[in-house]
Amino acid sequence: MAERERRSILCPNCKRLISVDETECPYCGVAAPGSWTKNNIRTKARLEPHQVISAIIAVNVGMFVISLLANPSGIAISSNPFSFLSPSVESLFFLGGTGTGPIGYFHGWWTLLSANYLHGGLLHIVFNMLALRQLGPLVIQEYGVNRMIGIYTLSGLVGFFVSYLAGVVLTIGASASLCGLIGAAMYYGWSRGGAYGQQVLSEIGAWAVAILVTGVILSSNNWAHGGGIAAGALLGYLFSYQERAPERLLHRNVAVVCIGVTALTLVWSIGYGVHRLYGG
């Protein structure tokens, strides 16, 4: 019995109990499920939804603090709540803000990703993180935590690429990624249909309208917002959602790549920004 237990594993794709010697999973057909490349710590690790949301918030807060400390003399202390405790433009530019300015100045294509973790003021980051607390759990519930990570990361990148094509000089904020979650949730509500689907579509649609209208009023980057929503809806279609198909090894791999590339990009942006601000 002990020997049999040692030779049994959970398929890294469908999570059903199979023999380690199977050439392919008899349930989902994935090839060589017992191989090291598919049965390792990466595939076995379980991402807890609340921990993922908390980690994203922590990284955003950390980058906000770094952007303030990188150039303390440039911090804006204003009675205007929208500009209170704002990092300097120099900090945001060199720490990973994106747009035609950074991309044209130092070919910083990596800023399409790093800009999602920078914010222009205390109210800016508070609003965005509160929105993440509301939207993140819904998308995780309907898509799974790995697909949510992929949607959040890739939508932000696409949203800022759209704003770059539109000629936006310098832009930052998590709203492009958040709009990706909105787009994915809207696709889910529309695709699922029924009373629950209509409820989701109605509530999330109100979020989309509010963000776009607020963008017009406050002259925010609606190019990134619109690009993020479109990217999120497309990724929602391509990834599918839990009721149609459970998360697969592919989704986990996408999440791992997104986490790894984001971590490397932010480390690079901090190093580059500090060097340019203090090293010349």
Side-chain angles (χ1 to χ4, degrees):
M1 177 66 70
E3 176 65 21
R4 185 174 301 173
E5 290 175 351
R6 284 198 299 270
R7 299 188 63 80
S8 296
I9 61 169
L10 292 178
C11 172
N13 189 53
C14 67
K15 302 303 179 185
R16 294 193 179 188
L17 190 65
I18 60 173
S19 169
V20 71
D21 299 320
E22 296 282 4
T23 56
E24 68 176 37
C25 176
Y27 300 103
C28 67
V30 66
S35 67
W36 180 84
T37 58
K38 295 178 181 176
N39 188 40
N40 52 48
I41 188 172
R42 171 180 57 83
T43 59
K44 292 178 180 178
R46 178 179 174 84
L47 296 173
E48 295 296 336
H50 69 280
Q51 292 178 345
V52 169
I53 299 295
S54 297
I56 295 174
I57 292 175
V59 173
N60 275 276
V61 171
M63 290 299 295
F64 180 65
V65 172
I66 290 171
S67 68
L68 291 173
L69 297 179
N71 187 15
S73 62
I75 297 175
I77 306 295
S78 170
S79 58
N80 183 345
F82 292 101
S83 58
F84 176 71
L85 209 59
S86 298
S88 69
V89 174
E90 291 78 13
S91 288
L92 297 176
F93 187 89
F94 290 118
L95 282 171
T98 196
T100 59
I103 292 176
Y105 183 74
F106 49 80
H107 305 292
W109 291 103
W110 48 271
T111 63
L112 294 174
L113 185 54
S114 59
N116 291 278
Y117 294 88
L118 292 171
H119 290 83
L122 183 62
L123 204 58
H124 189 199
I125 188 171
V126 168
F127 280 168
N128 277 348
M129 295 305 98
L130 287 176
L132 177 60
R133 280 290 187 193
Q134 294 291 318
L135 295 167
L138 171 63
V139 175
I140 289 174
Q141 174 182 304
E142 307 305 346
Y143 285 90
V145 67
N146 294 297
R147 281 182 280 204
M148 177 271 182
I149 292 172
I151 292 168
Y152 184 86
T153 304
L154 298 175
S155 295
L157 192 153
V158 171
F160 279 132
F161 181 67
V162 169
S163 74
Y164 164 77
L165 294 178
V168 177
V169 177
L170 181 64
T171 183
I172 52 170
S175 54
S177 292
L178 293 171
C179 283
L181 300 185
I182 288 174
M186 289 178 65
Y187 168 75
Y188 168 78
W190 172 82
S191 176
R192 184 187 188 279
Y196 179 64
Q198 288 300 315
Q199 179 184 354
V200 170
L201 184 59
S202 176
E203 292 180 0
I204 298 300
W207 272 87
V209 171
I211 285 180
L212 295 176
V213 170
T214 302
V216 172
I217 295 174
L218 299 179
S219 299
S220 299
N221 187 359
N222 266 348
W223 288 106
H225 295 164
I229 290 174
L234 178 60
L235 288 167
Y237 165 74
L238 294 175
F239 286 167
S240 193
Y241 47 85
Q242 296 281 46
E243 289 181 62
R244 286 189 169 177
E247 283 198 310
R248 300 295 189 184
L249 185 60
L250 170 65
H251 304 129
R252 181 179 289 269
N253 288 338
V254 168
V256 169
V257 170
C258 286
I259 292 171
V261 172
T262 298
L264 291 174
T265 298
L266 294 179
V267 169
W268 168 264
S269 69
I270 294 170
Y272 182 86
V274 171
H275 170 72
R276 294 303 300 262
L277 288 168
Y278 292 100

